[in-house]
Amino acid sequence: MILRASPSPSLSISTAQFQSPTLLIPNLKTQFRYKYRRLAKSVLLKTKSSVEQDLDGLPPEFYDDEWQAQQREKTKELRRRQQEEEEEENRKIDEYREIGSRMKGYPQEEVREARKLVSSFIRAAEEVEERIEEAAEKGELNELVLMVIWNRLDLARRDEEKDAIRALDLLYRRVETEILKREATPSMRLLNELLILHDGFNEEGWLKECRKLMVDTFPREDPFTLLVPEGFDINMHEGQLKLPSEADDVLLRVDFVREVDALLQEVRSEQSEEQSTQGLDPESVANRLKQQEKQRTIHQVEALLDLAATLKC
């Protein structure tokens, strides 16, 4: 006798069902949906419990909506400051590029020589005056040298290097004065020498020295003295009378008075356009001191003009 196993209830599928597989699909979908929901629910429960465990160690402020809003505002402020710093850095880079491009129109060899000359001025320290005068005698001072000094001064100002600013500003003014002195007319060179004689205290003694220098500089104002050199004896002279070779270098008193008066008129017109500052901030105080110094110089030039106008040569 052959024993046959009875079929399992779960596997009891009719022949019609076996021959039509599409009938199994609804049951499979239902089982899959049920299992998926159970799995998703268990995952959510585990996730919630793990988050609650993680939040247990945080400070109480974390649960405060107002505190979180403040933190978001701080984050926005930090990002804003970072953006401002980046913009400021980009602006400085553009300015440095602009400073570096100022001398592109000059020959590179001349630019290198000018930079070497300015570096020698800086290294000269206490002997800078002699070095500047030596360079002026050789004809090495020009606009390009001033441009190199100005570029260094501009960079020092942007980097807020106060010591370098003071030193370079003085160097620029000194070189500019030397260039102007070399290019100035005889009248302006004499005026500069007369102003330098002032010690800042003794006004009467200064005017006496200026009178003596004027008498030594201006020629005698009679026609004969202007035409012939000093010591000329007309009774012993024979032949054609010629002008002395140094006649072109002679500075007449009338020329000095005319140029100094024109300079004063120009300076007065510029001064009338300037507005006096009344503030107490450092910039306003510095401007007032400059105006006072300029006014003192104008008074000195006016005194020299009166002295030259009344001088009897």
Side-chain angles (χ1 to χ4, degrees), residues 78-264:
L78 179 60
R79 290 176 179 174
R80 186 186 63 81
R81 291 182 180 179
Q82 290 175 346
Q83 185 177 2
E84 290 179 353
E85 291 177 358
E86 290 177 359
E87 293 176 354
E88 179 68 15
E89 187 68 23
N90 293 332
R91 185 185 63 82
K92 287 185 177 181
I93 292 174
D94 293 338
E95 290 176 351
Y96 292 151
R97 287 176 178 172
E98 188 270 334
I99 293 173
S101 63
R102 289 175 182 172
M103 294 182 290
K104 281 187 176 180
Y106 295 93
Q108 292 301 313
E109 183 63 28
E110 295 182 8
V111 173
R112 282 193 292 269
E113 293 298 327
R115 287 174 175 170
K116 289 180 182 179
L117 184 61
V118 173
S119 298
S120 68
F121 292 158
I122 297 175
R123 292 193 303 269
E126 291 82 2
E127 300 176 357
V128 63
E129 288 286 338
E130 293 78 1
R131 185 70 186 89
I132 292 175
E133 293 177 359
E134 179 184 350
E137 293 175 357
K138 294 180 180 179
E140 297 175 347
L141 299 183
N142 50 36
E143 179 186 356
L144 184 56
V145 175
L146 283 178
M147 181 68 71
V148 172
I149 300 174
W150 181 259
N151 280 359
R152 293 198 176 193
L153 178 59
D154 206 0
L155 289 173
R157 285 171 176 167
R158 297 177 192 280
D159 295 337
E160 298 182 356
E161 298 178 359
K162 296 182 179 180
D163 294 337
I165 291 173
R166 286 192 291 267
L168 290 170
D169 184 62
L170 291 174
L171 179 61
Y172 183 90
R173 294 175 182 273
R174 181 63 185 87
V175 173
E176 183 182 34
T177 301
E178 192 66 29
I179 293 176
L180 293 176
K181 185 173 70 174
R182 300 286 173 173
E183 297 178 352
T185 62
S187 297
M188 293 297 102
R189 287 199 294 268
L190 177 60
L191 178 62
N192 185 63
E193 292 180 12
L194 295 172
L195 292 174
I196 291 176
L197 292 176
H198 200 293
D199 59 359
F201 301 99
N202 189 357
E203 194 79 14
E204 185 177 354
W206 171 64
L207 289 176
K208 287 182 179 180
E209 293 184 12
C210 292
R211 179 186 295 274
K212 182 177 181 302
L213 181 57
M214 287 183 181
V215 171
D216 295 339
T217 303
F218 300 141
R220 294 179 59 186
E221 295 181 348
D222 59 276
F224 184 78
T225 305
L226 291 175
L227 294 176
V228 297
E230 185 179 356
F232 177 81
D233 188 355
I234 192 171
N235 297 320
M236 301 296 296
H237 182 74
E238 296 180 1
Q240 185 179 3
L241 184 63
K242 297 181 180 180
L243 290 175
S245 58
E246 64 274 8
D248 294 338
D249 298 331
V250 174
L251 175 60
L252 301 179
R253 184 172 65 94
V254 64
D255 292 336
F256 177 80
V257 172
R258 183 177 64 251
E259 287 192 40
V260 173
D261 182 64
L263 176 64
L264 273 177

Side-chain angles (χ1 to χ4, degrees), residues 266-278 287-288 290-292 294-295 298:
E266 181 180 353
V267 172
R268 285 168 181 165
S269 64
E270 292 177 356
Q271 190 180 28
S272 62
E273 297 176 359
E274 296 179 356
Q275 297 181 355
S276 178
T277 55
Q278 303 297 329
N287 289 333
R288 285 202 300 273
K290 289 180 180 179
Q291 292 176 3
Q292 292 175 4
K294 189 174 183 179
Q295 192 63 39
I298 291 175

